[in-house]
Amino acid sequence: TFFQIVSYQQFYLQLELVKDDFARSICIYNKLSHKYDINNSFAEKTGLSIFEFVQMSFVYWMFMQPKLHGSNNFYNGYINDGDRQAFTAIFDSSKIDFFLNLLTISNTDANNKIGSYGKSLRSGSLQPFEISVFTMYPLQRIFGKLNIVHSALFNHTCLYYIYDYLKENDENFTTEFGNRFEQYVELGLKEIDADYQSEKSLQSKLSKGERVIDFLVEDYLLIECKGIEQKPIAAVNPFNEVAYRALKDSLIKAYCKQMLNVISKLNLNEDCFGLIITYKDF
C-alpha cells in the first residue's frame, strides 16, 4: 500500500515521452471523430486549435530536451526573449502568447488557478501526495522571466493537458473521448490484422441489454477500453471501502459484469484473458 501511494505521488514525474505520443494526441483529438467536435471546443476556450497546441508543445518539448535530440543548444530552465524570437520564426506571435498564457502561473493569478485545480484534495495531510498543479501550469512568470518549473512536469503536460483541461471545462468531453478512445484501440487491432469482434457484433449475439465488452480477440482475449483515471482520494488512501467505491463503476464493473458475462453467455471454454486499457497509467 505504501508503494501504491508513493507511485501516485512520484511516478508521473518519470513519464517517458517520445514523438509518437504527440502523433497519438493528434489522432485521438483531431483525426478521429464521433458526434462532438472536441477541436472546436478546445479552440473556443483557448484560442488554439488542438493541432496548434500539440505542435507548439512538441517544439517547446524539444527546446527543453536538447541532449535528447542531439542538439548543442544550451537549456537553462528559462524561456528568454531571445528564445521567443526563434519560436516566432515557426509560429504566429499571437498564438505563442495564447500557448504561454495557458500554461503559465504568476503571482497575480496563482490563487485563482490553484483554487480551480480540479484534482485538489481537501485534506491537508494528503495533499502532498497528489499530482502537482504545475502539470497544468509548468511555467512560472518570475521577475518578468518565464521559468520552466521542470522538464519532467512538461512531459506530463504534453501527454495529458488536452484531456485534463477539457475534462474540467467541457461537460460533453468525457462521453466523446470514451468513444474516440475505443476507435483508437480498434485502429491498432486493424493495423495488426487481428481477428476480433466489436461491441456491436457481440451485442447482436446476446440478448438485448446484455452487458458486453468493446472487443473480443480470437475468442480468448477480452478487451475493455476505459477513458478514466485514478481518483485522487483512492490513490492516496487505497484502503477497503474507499478503493472499492472508486473502482466499482469502472474496473470492477468491466471485469465482473462485462467480461465474465461475455465468457458465460458465449461459452468460451478455453482459458481467457481480460485486458482493461486505460488512457492514463493506472
Side-chain angles (χ1 to χ4, degrees), residues 20-31:
D20 293 351
D21 291 312
F22 296 93
R24 183 184 303 113
S25 292
I26 291 174
C27 181
I28 292 177
Y29 297 112
N30 204 46
K31 297 296 183 182

Side-chain angles (χ1 to χ4, degrees), residues 77-238:
Y78 288 90
I79 299 177
N80 301 298
D81 291 339
D83 301 322
R84 182 187 172 91
Q85 292 174 9
F87 290 123
T88 56
I90 308 173
F91 305 111
D92 183 87
S93 182
S94 63
K95 296 295 184 179
I96 294 176
D97 288 336
F98 281 131
F99 180 80
L100 294 180
N101 289 337
L102 201 60
L103 302 185
T104 299
I105 194 168
S106 67
N107 61 344
T108 59
D109 59 16
N111 284 340
N112 288 334
K113 288 186 173 180
I114 293 175
S116 61
Y117 181 58
K119 294 181 178 61
S120 295
L121 294 166
R122 294 181 181 179
S123 171
S125 62
L126 297 178
Q127 286 175 359
F129 291 96
E130 69 177 331
I131 294 176
S132 171
V133 67
F134 292 115
T135 56
M136 296 298 289
Y137 308 107
L139 308 177
Q140 292 175 316
R141 188 169 298 281
I142 302 175
F143 303 119
K145 276 190 172 183
L146 274 181
N147 169 49
I148 300 167
V149 179
H150 198 283
S151 58
L153 282 163
F154 194 73
N155 283 355
H156 191 282
T157 304
C158 291
L159 277 172
Y160 298 129
Y161 186 89
I162 298 171
Y163 175 91
D164 289 336
Y165 180 85
L166 288 176
K167 189 174 180 181
E168 290 298 321
N169 293 282
D170 187 341
E171 61 182 11
N172 297 312
F173 170 74
T174 302
T175 301
E176 174 66 20
F177 178 81
N179 289 314
R180 294 191 186 208
F181 188 43
E182 290 176 22
Q183 290 182 56
Y184 182 75
V185 172
E186 188 168 15
L187 285 178
L189 293 173
K190 290 178 178 178
E191 187 175 43
I192 63 173
D193 197 26
D195 178 15
Y196 73 95
Q197 300 176 60
S198 67
E199 179 180 3
K200 185 176 181 180
S201 175
L202 292 170
Q203 193 72 68
S204 67
K205 296 180 179 181
L206 301 178
S207 302
K208 186 176 182 180
E210 290 275 6
R211 296 180 185 273
V212 296
I213 53 173
D214 292 322
F215 307 104
L216 175 61
V217 182
E218 298 182 1
D219 289 338
Y220 75 90
L221 177 61
L222 298 94
I223 298 178
E224 177 67 15
C225 306
K226 294 292 184 185
I228 59 173
E229 60 184 306
Q230 178 70 292
K231 293 184 179 180
I233 186 61
V236 300
N237 186 22

